[in-house]
Amino acid sequence: MRRRHRKANSRRVPGPRRVLILSADVGEGHAAAARALATQLEDAPQPTEVTVIDGLAAMGRVLRPVVEDGYRVQLRFVPWTYTLVYGLLNHVRPVRAIATRLLCLFGSRPLTWSSPRTPP
């Protein structure tokens, strides 16, 4: 993995670091993890502005209901498929590539427009 280093003359906006946490309203576990991470960052010695948004909601009208409703239906009626899908996404590159491509296709533009803006 290649690390990117900042150039010495790169622009750095003075002030606190800014962190955006994307969560998803698909269960309290996601919300609790986002809150815990935000608290850790805010309590860190370096001043930090933390913004938490529901990334799934920000991805728009097409993707949100598919994921939210699909997730709830999956867990209610065929819960064993959750482990299967998770395993496929985690261990099978073509499946992960297709899922990534679809998420980018349907979610990247709405997510970009709903994200907090960097001041000029």
Side-chain angles (χ1 to χ4, degrees), residues 17 19 21 36-50:
R17 71 181 165 175
V19 176
I21 299 173
L37 179 56
T39 299
Q40 284 182 328
L41 290 166
E42 290 167 342
D43 292 344
Q46 181 179 359
T48 306
E49 288 179 15
V50 178

Side-chain angles (χ1 to χ4, degrees), residues 96-120:
R96 185 171 50 244
I98 291 168
T100 301
R101 183 69 105 170
L102 288 172
L103 284 170
C104 288
L105 177 68
F106 291 106
S108 63
R109 179 168 272 160
L111 183 60
T112 300
W113 285 107
S114 66
S115 298
R117 297 280 175 239
T118 304

